[in-house]
Amino acid sequence: MASLSQSQLIAAPSTTFSLCSPRTSSGLTIRPRRSTVQQRVSCASSRGERSSEPDTSRQHDRRDVLLGLGALGAGATLMPARRARADPVATPNVSTCGQADLPPGANVSTCCPPPSNALPVDFAASLTSSSTPLRTRPAAHSVTADYVAKFNAGIAAMKALPASDPRSFAAQAAVHCAYCDGSYSPEGFPGLELQVHNSWLFFPFHRCYLYFFERILGSLVGDPSFAIPFWNWDAPDGMRLPAMYADQSSQLFDPRRDARHAPSKLIDLDYNGTEPRFTDSQQIDHNLRVMYRQMVSLSPTPSLFFGSPYRAGDDPNQGPSPVENIPHGPVHIWCGDPKQPSFEDMGNFYSAGNDPLFYAHHANIDRMWSVWKGLDARRHTDLTDPDWLNASFLFYDETPKLVRIRVRDVLDTGALRYQYQDLPLPWTAARPTVTRRAAGSLLTPAAKAAGGATKKAGKFPITLDEATSVTVRRPVGSKRSKAEKESKVEVLVIDGIEVGRDVAAKFDVFVNAEDHGAVGSGGRELAGSFVNVPHRHAHGGHGKERGIKTTLRLALNEQLEDLKAEGDESVEVILVPRQGKGNVKIGGVRIELMH
């Protein structure tokens, strides 16, 4: 995170990384692979664990080249017939923190947090004891005046610190920019950018980020039990911008928000840049059904809930989780100011941390991780893949010292000494319903005008400039038992999604919709959506040249059951652009079975 020299990161010159060295500077073992003739088309990891990923041989060939170049730079001999094993994404080599690729008119000049002259310490050695007060994060709409005053004082203290202090609000905001907009490369892969969105790193990175932000805030107000609030947009009482963030005299106010969405406007968790014309009761019902779809229908297993694997040497943006797509993305865009050149602050990743509301939004995202695990203790568990558990990040704590923290350190919020205020979850009873042509109680005039017209997809890849349909064969053609469904989930895969990094984009995916224009977000025919929150990257110029290339995976088990399509040999998939029309390409559509 800080700009340390390489000598500060490495314990002794003899441990300098090379292809022939047994360990990298972060202590990660590098083992050789067999000849590159044996491609990983079976999608099995180096540890023998299987995934339902497409052929990633292209990524691993690139990984070999990068490792070889790194080895040559260290004075080692390049051995093209040897391959590095898959490994967790490692702590970034912070000495290479560089200029992010920021949009025109960006209100920051750098995303690099302050440097440090000390080696990072491992978080495992500094775990808080059970005697530390248990912090309870409250719902933002329910806090007292005393709480608001203390929270304001803490944010004011952070803002008063110079930007050179890693505890300052400016430095903390830079953390998100650095990890999300291309200022870092993963350690050992200087030619690749590090990205904590659109993969299985999304949930744990932001949990770590909030944890240290909260510790700094509590230290500055002299109260180690102080906890940040969460914006519980998933329940009716919290579906408006919390009042304490709307007070223009408050430290929590940010003028770079969409003025149309001040209280008492209800949030749209499926926002696509246009203003819905729902009644309040329709909007609440709409939001609850969105939450059910993302948290229940689309998240039946850990591999689907957390997002796609992202290992050392992989290109970033392997595939987002359902919750990262929605409601995470639409809430960002709903809050961002459309009058700003790049939807600052919340509407762009580089600037999102400048709005105090960001931390409340992500506290609720973090809460969703805990809530999801509680919905089904048997099936909803954390991932066990070592490459996820051992992925690591660098943050400053309240002292401030630089800390290396791994995903395995943050699985238990009790060990981190915080919990969330217990609130009802009304969306658990809001299962989407099948929509018929005559239905439309949740339909906007714009949706009615759009109708259900589609064009048939030609040869892929295609540019998504209008509603496009494609017939997709299923891997099974008969109704499966409950045990079979639990063993393997039928998943719709939208592959080769390409979009510019600075483009706000969204498209919806419908299955067997008689008239997609008559289906609201509460309709069962809507399988899910893809959302891109604008952000750019700098390393190697990749951001400007390539944009994002990623994959969307949507679980179909519940949907096929409700649509009575479990015995069909194929389904009709309709892709409908909602935002960024004509700026998204699709590489292909298929259905596969996933564990």
Side-chain angles (χ1 to χ4, degrees):
M1 216 174 75
S3 299
L4 300 178
S5 68
Q6 189 67 24
S7 62
Q8 292 168 336
L9 285 172
I10 300 175
S14 62
T15 62
T16 302
F17 172 76
S18 74
L19 191 63
C20 304
S21 298
R23 288 182 177 270
T24 67
S25 59
S26 63
L28 295 176
T29 304
I30 300 296
R31 298 189 179 98
R33 271 191 170 272
R34 295 183 182 271
S35 167
T36 54
V37 173
Q38 298 181 352
Q39 300 294 335
R40 283 215 306 167
V41 296
S42 65
C43 303
S45 79
S46 62
R47 291 180 170 84
E49 296 157 342
R50 299 188 63 83
S51 69
S52 299
E53 299 295 313
D55 177 10
T56 55
S57 58
R58 176 188 62 83
Q59 297 167 341
H60 295 127
D61 287 344
R62 181 178 182 186
R63 175 188 298 160
D64 298 336
V65 172
L66 290 167
L67 278 170
L69 292 174
L72 286 175
T77 301
L78 178 63
M79 298 183 296
R82 311 289 278 184
R83 302 188 63 165
R85 64 198 280 270
D87 268 314
V89 173
T91 303
N93 183 340
V94 293
S95 67
T96 63
C97 183
Q99 179 65 46
D101 182 19
L102 301 174
N107 53 22
V108 298
S109 59
T110 180
C111 287
C112 292
S116 172
N117 294 321
L119 287 169
V121 299
D122 283 331
F123 180 76
S126 61
L127 278 170
T128 53
S129 70
S130 58
S131 62
T132 301
L134 184 64
R135 305 183 302 279
T136 299
R137 293 179 178 175
H141 74 276
S142 67
V143 296
T144 66
D146 288 344
Y147 176 93
V148 173
K150 183 177 285 190
F151 190 23
N152 266 276
I155 296 298
M158 292 181 80
K159 290 182 176 181
L161 293 172
S164 58
D165 189 321
R167 302 170 301 161
S168 68
F169 192 81
Q172 288 295 303
V175 170
H176 196 257
C177 182
Y179 275 99
C180 309
D181 286 82
S183 289
Y184 290 144
S185 284
E187 185 178 354
F189 299 93
L192 283 176
E193 63 195 35
L194 175 62
Q195 174 56 261
V196 294
H197 293 89
N198 297 318
S199 78
W200 66 9
L201 293 187
F202 171 74
F203 276 107
F205 168 81
H206 288 88
R207 173 167 287 184
C208 296
Y209 185 13
L210 296 183
Y211 171 78
F212 287 106
F213 181 88
E214 186 172 69
R215 281 179 54 165
I216 291 168
L217 194 63
S219 174
L220 292 174
V221 298
D223 182 1
S225 68
F226 185 80
I228 60 175
F230 66 93
W231 178 13
N232 68 315
W233 27 249
D234 62 297
D237 288 347
M239 287 181 183
R240 293 174 174 83
L241 180 73
M244 62 177 161
Y245 293 92
D247 180 358
Q248 296 189 22
S249 65
S250 167
Q251 295 291 330
L252 307 176
F253 180 75
D254 184 351
R256 289 184 291 272
R257 294 192 195 128
D258 193 331
R260 296 172 298 176
H261 298 157
S264 58
K265 182 74 171 182
L266 282 164
I267 194 169
D268 180 4
L269 297 183
D270 200 30
Y271 186 65
N272 59 21
T274 60
E275 297 302 303
R277 300 179 182 178
F278 298 156
T279 65
D280 281 0
S281 61
Q282 287 173 339
Q283 184 67 70
I284 290 170
D285 184 69
H286 172 110
N287 288 342
L288 295 178
R289 294 183 188 274
V290 167
M291 289 302 304
Y292 182 98
R293 185 185 72 223
Q294 303 304 117
M295 287 286 289
V296 180
S297 297
L298 298 183
S299 301
T301 66
S303 61
L304 287 165
F305 176 75
F306 286 100
S308 296
Y310 174 32
R311 309 179 196 276
D314 284 348
D315 283 330
N317 303 300
Q318 291 291 307
S321 73
V323 173
E324 180 180 0
N325 248 327
I326 296 174
H328 166 256
V331 172
H332 266 282
I333 295 171
W334 189 85
C335 294
D337 187 353
K339 295 181 180 179
Q340 298 298 318
S342 299
F343 302 100
E344 288 91 348
D345 278 328
M346 277 278 281
N348 199 299
F349 282 161
Y350 95 86
S351 56
N354 294 320
D355 189 340
L357 185 63
F358 167 88
Y359 304 94
H361 171 40
H362 269 278
N364 205 35
I365 292 290
D366 179 67
R367 173 174 166 259
M368 290 302 106
W369 179 357
S370 298
V371 166
W372 178 80
K373 289 169 67 175
L375 293 178
D376 186 342
R378 181 176 64 88
R379 300 184 66 213
H380 291 188
T381 61
D382 292 318
L383 295 168
T384 58
D385 191 316
D387 287 346
W388 184 69
L389 294 171
N390 293 318
S392 58
F393 318 102
L394 288 178
F395 291 93
Y396 283 101
D397 69 10
E398 70 277 10
T399 54
K401 63 175 177 289
L402 195 60
V403 179
R404 179 185 293 111
I405 189 166
R406 294 175 172 81
V407 172
R408 66 172 184 251
D409 297 324
V410 299
L411 304 183
D412 180 4
T413 59
L416 297 175
R417 305 305 297 153
Y418 77 87
Q419 63 183 2
Y420 287 98
Q421 178 184 347
D422 190 21
L423 292 174
L425 302 170
W427 47 264
T428 59
R431 184 164 175 155
T433 55
V434 176
T435 308
R436 303 301 180 190
R437 287 183 185 272
S441 60
L442 293 180
L443 205 58
T444 66
K448 289 178 181 177
T454 64
K455 69 173 182 179
K456 291 293 291 185
K459 184 179 179 181
F460 284 93
I462 62 171
T463 297
L464 196 58
D465 52 5
E466 59 182 300
T468 304
S469 68
V470 56
T471 301
V472 184
R473 288 190 63 84
R474 296 175 59 220
V476 293
S478 60
K479 188 173 182 179
R480 296 189 297 154
S481 68
K482 180 179 179 181
E484 288 173 327
K485 292 177 186 178
E486 288 188 355
S487 174
K488 290 185 177 181
V489 179
E490 204 162 343
V491 177
L492 180 65
V493 180
I494 316 294
D495 212 359
I497 300 170
E498 295 187 54
V499 60
R501 300 179 189 273
D502 55 351
V503 174
K506 180 178 184 289
F507 66 83
D508 291 337
V509 182
F510 296 86
V511 169
N512 287 3
E514 294 180 359
D515 180 356
H516 70 80
V519 181
S521 66
R524 180 45 96 184
E525 296 87 347
L526 180 58
S529 306
F530 171 81
V531 177
N532 183 57
V533 179
H535 57 298
R536 292 190 177 195
H537 298 263
H539 275 295
H542 298 318
K544 294 177 181 177
E545 295 171 5
R546 298 186 307 158
I548 285 176
K549 189 169 185 177
T550 189
T551 299
L552 177 66
R553 294 177 175 84
L554 303 171
L556 293 179
N557 280 7
E558 274 198 2
Q559 185 175 42
L560 293 174
E561 178 182 330
D562 290 352
L563 294 175
K564 302 186 184 307
E566 292 180 290
D568 295 350
E569 292 185 353
S570 63
V571 297
E572 193 72 10
V573 175
I574 304 174
L575 309 174
V576 182
R578 299 300 191 191
Q579 194 172 16
K581 184 180 294 186
N583 291 315
V584 178
K585 290 184 178 180
I586 306 294
V589 183
R590 67 182 187 277
I591 296 176
E592 63 184 35
L593 297 177
M594 285 183 60
H595 288 288

